[in-house]
Amino acid sequence: MREWLATWLLALGACLLALPSSGSAAATVVASGTGLRVDLLDPTTGDVSIDELTGGTLDPRFQPFDPAAARKRDGAFWLRLRAEENSTPGAVPTLNISKSRHLQIQAYTVEGGHTVPLRTATYLPGFRGMHQQVFALPDRLTEGQLLYVHIDPQGQGWEGLMFSVSTLEQTLATGAEHARMIALAFGALMAMAFSSLLIWLVLSDRLLLFYATLFSLQALYVAYLSGQGFEWPVLELGASVMSYTWNVTAALSGAAACLFVREIAELRLYSPKVYSIFGWMAGTFVVLAFANLAQHIGLGGVVAAIGNLVFLGSAIFTLVVAFLAWQRNNRAAGWFLIAWGLLEGFTIATAIRLLLTDPEGAEGLLYYGLPLSMVAAAVLIALGVADRLRDQRLALSDAEKRAQTDPLTGVLNRRSLVERLEAACLRARARGLPIALLFIDLDHFKEINDTRGHQAGDACLRAIIDPIHAELRQSDVIGRYGGEEFVVILSSADIAAAGPIAERIRHRVADVRVEGFGDPIRVTCSIGVATSDTLGVWGEHLIARADEAVYDAKRSGRNRVQIAGALTA
């Protein structure tokens, strides 16, 4: 039950990573800005010229502007703007009109009784496919001054209009700052995605590939949603399909987020059913991406509503799954939860703000909060990925260590010991150095097993390891060769050095007393010594000669050291 509750909570987070605005597909009507009163010429008036408008005879036919009603119109219409206050003095005063890109606008003012068309100074990109057309005014506006705007929609419907008065210097400075913030966020996200992709080429971990895919799509999303991407080389090609750019990238990043979460939460191992659910959710997001084509048959609103519900439900589901994974001691999932909380807080705030007001009113969230939260989430999740890779490396190192060591004594097993010996012999021969081998065999070990039990025998084997290590250098190696047989590799040691080391080991082992199995068990050992400088042999031939020396030591009374060279006499 707990796992299925987590299932419904943690699908929401992964996919809301892909949802910087759940309302992005919804149509928004933007009202007029402060400082200007906007009136609409009665649409039944028909076609009129600008001179007729400025003559004053049509003034009674103007009515308060209703953006929602005007949005339903397909034909051109006239607006009259009345300044309700004096505009701020500036070098070049401007009339700024935020609008859909397919709205064709002409603006006029009246000076000295003559109609003067306003010149377009620049265009600035805006959120959700809108942009700002900036008209240069001949002089600052005074209270009661009139401006006339002709609007001709060149397509089906439009998002809305917003009018404001500023100066060219201020407008350009604000536009440059907005462009800089979006470019920085886009560059940071793409840089992290590209770095992850390069690391994936080396490590081949799918988590890195999903990370690169997710945040490259996030970068494209914020570039197109902000409108800045339509002004950049290559990305400007998306202008031909406008709204598809952010809707499709949002859906595809939702799919990537689902695949990413099921990997970072290790659901294949801990919950195969939930793992499969995330796979189906990823497929659903891909279907939603293609479902945007339904706009052509008038079902765009239905698809948008379904998409928002899927985003919301999957985000909640993701949250639960990630939380449970974190409780399972998955630190990477914990990093994801922190990133999710940060990003989704700004995401939800942005979506709500856009539903309640226009993009200009949500400037702080759109140009600062949302992009920076994406970058912060990318950094935090990158830390989670690094944590996951570190855990994998530690697990691999631990597995390799277990594969190389004897589980009872903790020293090298026979296979690893022989491999180390061959490598040590290659190095010694290449450098012209000797190598020595000690073959250690516990005395009367079978008797200990038979009379005291195998647990006592195991305790004796473990007890002699530390005394042997006490006489070895860091470069020396010890391994378990057989039941009670151990081999020590002494690097760069000749017969003069090996003999005394073997004697010291023998004395240390003889001091060992094993308690807990009746009377204390006294342990002794016989040691055979073989060195390359006296025998001229290497590798396993050294082991064989040291083994022969051990048998000679046992025949001579045990608890002694025997040099292999003496066996040939």
Side-chain angles (χ1 to χ4, degrees):
M1 178 68 181
R2 181 182 182 187
E3 179 182 358
W4 278 99
L5 177 61
T7 288
W8 264 106
L9 251 182
L10 204 128
L12 185 116
C15 302
L16 270 189
L17 276 174
L19 182 59
S21 173
S22 62
S24 62
T28 303
V29 175
V30 182
S32 61
T34 59
L36 292 170
R37 174 181 172 179
V38 184
D39 294 314
L40 170 69
L41 180 66
D42 188 346
T44 62
T45 304
D47 293 334
V48 296
S49 68
I50 183 61
D51 291 331
E52 291 178 275
L53 287 175
T54 58
T57 58
L58 296 177
D59 285 353
R61 301 190 66 83
F62 279 94
Q63 56 195 27
F65 178 49
D66 181 359
R71 184 178 182 275
K72 299 176 182 179
R73 292 181 51 81
D74 294 329
F77 55 93
W78 282 96
L79 294 177
R80 183 183 64 187
L81 311 182
R82 182 187 299 273
E84 297 185 323
E85 57 189 4
N86 296 331
S87 63
T88 303
V92 181
T94 59
L95 170 66
N96 302 341
I97 304 179
S98 295
K99 65 183 186 68
S100 300
R101 289 175 179 257
H102 64 275
L103 292 184
Q104 301 298 314
I105 293 183
Q106 294 174 304
Y108 304 87
T109 187
V110 179
E111 277 196 347
H114 299 287
T115 302
V116 178
L118 299 182
R119 178 170 51 88
T120 299
T122 187
Y123 290 93
L124 297 176
F127 266 75
R128 289 192 301 206
M130 298 183 68
H131 69 180
Q132 189 175 73
Q133 187 171 355
V134 180
F135 292 95
L137 294 170
D139 199 356
R140 60 176 294 199
L141 289 179
T142 58
E143 184 178 357
Q145 184 175 345
L146 299 178
L147 300 172
Y148 296 90
V149 177
H150 184 258
I151 299 176
D152 185 8
Q154 300 294 312
Q156 292 293 323
W158 42 277
E159 294 297 318
L161 290 168
M162 179 175 178
F163 304 90
S164 62
V165 177
S166 182
T167 66
L168 186 59
E169 180 182 12
Q170 181 180 355
T171 299
L172 293 177
T174 302
E177 185 177 353
H178 290 172
R180 182 165 55 250
M181 288 303 303
I182 298 299
L184 287 173
F186 177 84
L189 292 171
M190 290 300 279
M192 297 190 69
F194 185 67
S195 299
S196 179
L197 183 61
L198 292 178
I199 298 173
W200 170 76
L201 292 175
V202 176
L203 299 181
S204 299
D205 190 305
R206 290 190 301 179
L207 192 63
L208 292 166
L209 183 60
F210 293 145
Y211 179 93
T213 303
L214 172 60
F215 284 103
S216 60
L217 288 169
Q218 288 280 288
L220 290 173
Y221 181 93
V222 74
Y224 281 129
L225 183 67
S226 66
Q228 300 293 333
F230 300 115
E231 311 296 321
W232 298 342
V234 181
L235 293 188
E236 64 185 355
L237 298 175
S240 60
V241 288
M242 195 60 73
S243 65
Y244 291 122
T245 53
W246 60 81
N247 286 334
V248 171
T249 51
L252 293 180
S253 58
C258 288
L259 298 177
F260 177 84
V261 171
R262 71 176 190 173
E263 290 296 323
I264 202 169
E266 300 179 298
L267 295 179
R268 184 195 293 270
L269 176 63
Y270 292 101
S271 183
K273 289 183 179 179
V274 179
Y275 181 88
S276 298
I277 290 174
F278 271 103
W280 283 104
M281 286 167 51
T284 300
F285 280 114
V286 173
V287 171
L288 279 175
F290 288 98
N292 281 279
L293 295 173
Q295 295 181 27
H296 294 294
I297 56 175
L299 296 178
V302 175
V303 172
I306 294 174
N308 289 336
L309 288 175
V310 171
F311 272 115
L312 182 61
S314 60
I316 295 174
F317 180 71
T318 300
L319 172 64
V320 178
V321 174
F323 178 75
L324 292 183
W326 172 66
Q327 281 197 322
R328 198 176 58 239
N329 230 8
N330 186 325
R331 289 192 305 272
W335 285 109
F336 176 83
L337 273 178
I338 297 173
W340 180 93
L342 175 67
L343 179 59
E344 297 319 312
F346 280 100
T347 295
I348 295 171
T350 302
I352 294 175
R353 189 65 184 271
L354 285 175
L355 290 174
L356 297 178
T357 185
D358 55 82
E360 298 298 325
E363 180 181 285
L365 285 171
L366 293 175
Y367 291 104
Y368 301 96
L370 183 60
L372 292 179
S373 69
M374 287 183 179
V375 174
V379 172
L380 291 171
I381 293 176
L383 291 175
V385 172
D387 199 315
R388 158 78 176 272
L389 295 176
R390 185 193 65 174
D391 286 345
Q392 288 179 339
R393 187 178 68 176
L394 291 176
L396 181 60
S397 298
D398 186 57
E400 290 176 346
K401 183 178 180 181
R402 289 197 301 268
Q404 293 175 354
T405 57
D406 171 53
L408 176 63
T409 61
V411 299
L412 293 178
N413 57 30
R414 179 168 180 164
R415 184 185 67 181
S416 298
L417 176 70
V418 172
E419 290 174 354
R420 292 287 188 91
L421 177 60
E422 295 295 339
C425 288
L426 286 174
R427 288 195 301 270
R429 297 183 73 171
R431 299 171 184 174
L433 298 173
I435 193 168
L437 206 74
L438 308 183
F439 200 109
I440 304 172
D441 193 332
L442 292 189
D443 298 327
H444 304 294
F445 186 73
K446 184 177 184 304
E447 181 181 339
I448 294 173
N449 276 337
D450 291 343
T451 58
R452 302 294 185 96
H454 287 283
Q455 288 186 344
D458 292 345
C460 292
L461 294 175
R462 288 191 295 264
I464 68 168
I465 299 303
D466 286 342
I468 295 174
H469 268 302
E471 293 298 334
L472 301 182
R473 301 162 300 177
Q474 190 172 4
S475 59
D476 298 332
V477 176
I478 179 174
R480 187 178 179 188
Y481 194 74
E484 72 275 19
E485 299 168 338
F486 295 86
V487 170
V488 174
I489 304 171
L490 301 175
S491 301
S492 306
D494 57 13
I495 189 62
I501 294 175
E503 281 293 347
R504 292 197 297 271
I505 289 175
R506 184 184 68 80
H507 282 294
R508 283 186 178 272
V509 172
D511 291 337
V512 171
R513 297 292 184 271
V514 179
E515 308 282 350
F517 301 93
D519 295 335
I521 303 173
R522 178 174 179 270
V523 181
T524 62
C525 67
S526 299
I527 303 177
V529 181
T531 60
S532 62
D533 60 315
T534 59
L535 302 175
V537 296
W538 301 86
E540 293 193 70
H541 294 292
L542 277 175
I543 296 179
R545 296 303 301 275
D547 190 19
E548 293 173 6
V550 166
Y551 279 107
D552 188 62
K554 288 184 177 293
R555 284 194 295 267
S556 299
R558 294 185 173 84
N559 191 23
R560 59 171 294 173
V561 173
Q562 179 66 52
I563 306 299
L567 296 177
T568 61

